Amino acid sequence: MATSTSSETEKKGLGRLKGKRCLVTAAAQGIGRTTVETFIREGASLVVAVDINAEKLEELRAFSVVDIRVLDVRDGVAIHKLAEELDALDVLFNCAGYVQAGNILETSEERWDYSFDVNVKSMFHFIKAFLPKMIAAGGGSIINMSSVASTIRGIEARCVYGTTKAAVIGLTKGVARDFVQKGIR
Ligand SMILES: NC(=O)c1ccc[n+]([C@@H]2O[C@H](COP(=O)([O-])OP(=O)(O)OC[C@H]3O[C@@H](n4cnc5c(N)ncnc54)[C@H](O)[C@@H]3O)[C@@H](O)[C@H]2O)c1
């Protein structure tokens, strides 16, 4: 599949994110990568692109507004360090997720914990780290990637994956309820 060039990506768009500072996890490929390109097209002034895949992240270096950060979203210390380095974000997109196949009998405790660390605890770290500056700046948007798996219907052989994605909904509603009056959407 062809990837858009930096000039093509910067040309189009309606300027809906003009001047906004954004961060996207799982930015190297898939939905995260497409989101980075969309945010650029919509006029974001900064897109912090986070992923564990250094090689694929490099492809984003062509975009002047992209700040590449190779980071494991399970690493809470690195996430808090990144938040200290950066000024307030307007948009935090927690996109990173891992699909573990199998029913409950086929899911080891190690795979259960890994799935929760990548899919849910990573969001706990990112929100905790970036929310204080977002509030201080007057507000912002946090997007947490869930799935139809478990939240709308049960999906075969996706037991722990679906469980983590249901947890993402709970986390999102909890944060929204606690901080909506401080401008957090
Ligand atoms: N693709 C779908 O159909 C679909 C449907 C519903 C929900 N989702 C969710 O959307 C999100 C993105 O899905 P996708 O299909 O685009 O993903 P993908 O598998 O194409 O890409 C995932 C990216 O995450 C990165 N990543 C994995 N583990 C990481 C870690 N520990 N630290 C940092 N980066 C890490 C990978 O390097 C990769 O670049 C996931 O949360 C997924 O559960 C996807």
Side-chain angles (χ1 to χ4, degrees), residues 53-125:
N53 187 336
E55 203 181 319
K56 280 203 81 62
L57 265 188
E58 269 307 312
E59 295 169 8
L60 289 166
R61 202 170 285 286
F63 301 110
S64 58
V65 298
V66 172
D67 178 358
I68 288 171
R69 302 291 180 138
V70 180
L71 185 152
D72 186 332
V73 297
R74 294 173 300 161
D75 187 346
V77 173
I79 292 164
H80 280 269
K81 195 163 159 281
L82 179 62
E84 279 168 26
E85 271 176 46
L86 298 172
D87 290 336
L89 297 175
D90 298 292
V91 180
L92 167 62
F93 179 23
N94 284 313
C95 181
Y98 165 78
V99 182
Q100 177 68 46
N103 63 37
I104 192 164
L105 299 177
E106 295 158 344
T107 305
S108 68
E109 187 174 349
E110 185 272 325
R111 289 289 91 188
W112 178 275
D113 289 343
Y114 179 82
S115 299
F116 266 87
D117 286 349
V118 174
N119 296 2
V120 188
K121 198 171 178 188
S122 64
M123 298 186 183
F124 163 77
H125 285 310

Side-chain angles (χ1 to χ4, degrees), residues 13-180:
L14 300 169
R16 286 173 289 192
L17 291 175
K18 197 166 186 313
K20 300 291 184 191
R21 299 167 52 81
C22 313
L23 184 149
V24 178
T25 68
Q29 68 174 50
I31 295 168
R33 167 71 179 254
T34 301
T35 303
V36 169
E37 296 188 5
T38 304
F39 282 5
I40 296 167
R41 208 163 45 236
E42 290 299 328
S45 61
L46 172 73
V47 184
V48 183
V50 171
D51 203 286
I52 203 169
N53 187 336
E55 203 181 319
K56 280 203 81 62
L57 265 188
E58 269 307 312
E59 295 169 8
L60 289 166
R61 202 170 285 286
F63 301 110
S64 58
V65 298
V66 172
D67 178 358
I68 288 171
R69 302 291 180 138
V70 180
L71 185 152
D72 186 332
V73 297
R74 294 173 300 161
D75 187 346
V77 173
I79 292 164
H80 280 269
K81 195 163 159 281
L82 179 62
E84 279 168 26
E85 271 176 46
L86 298 172
D87 290 336
L89 297 175
D90 298 292
V91 180
L92 167 62
F93 179 23
N94 284 313
C95 181
Y98 165 78
V99 182
Q100 177 68 46
N103 63 37
I104 192 164
L105 299 177
E106 295 158 344
T107 305
S108 68
E109 187 174 349
E110 185 272 325
R111 289 289 91 188
W112 178 275
D113 289 343
Y114 179 82
S115 299
F116 266 87
D117 286 349
V118 174
N119 296 2
V120 188
K121 198 171 178 188
S122 64
M123 298 186 183
F124 163 77
H125 285 310
F126 270 100
I127 296 168
K128 253 184 101 92
F130 284 92
L131 186 56
K133 281 185 189 172
M134 209 179 242
I135 292 168
S141 298
I142 301 175
I143 303 147
N144 299 321
M145 181 59 97
S146 182
S147 169
V148 292
S150 276
T151 63
I152 294 175
R153 61 191 171 102
I155 306 285
E156 193 181 341
R158 292 288 182 273
C159 180
V160 65
Y161 178 71
T163 309
T164 62
K165 292 303 187 180
V168 169
I169 301 281
L171 169 71
T172 306
K173 290 190 174 185
V175 173
R177 186 66 189 85
D178 289 336
F179 296 100
V180 65

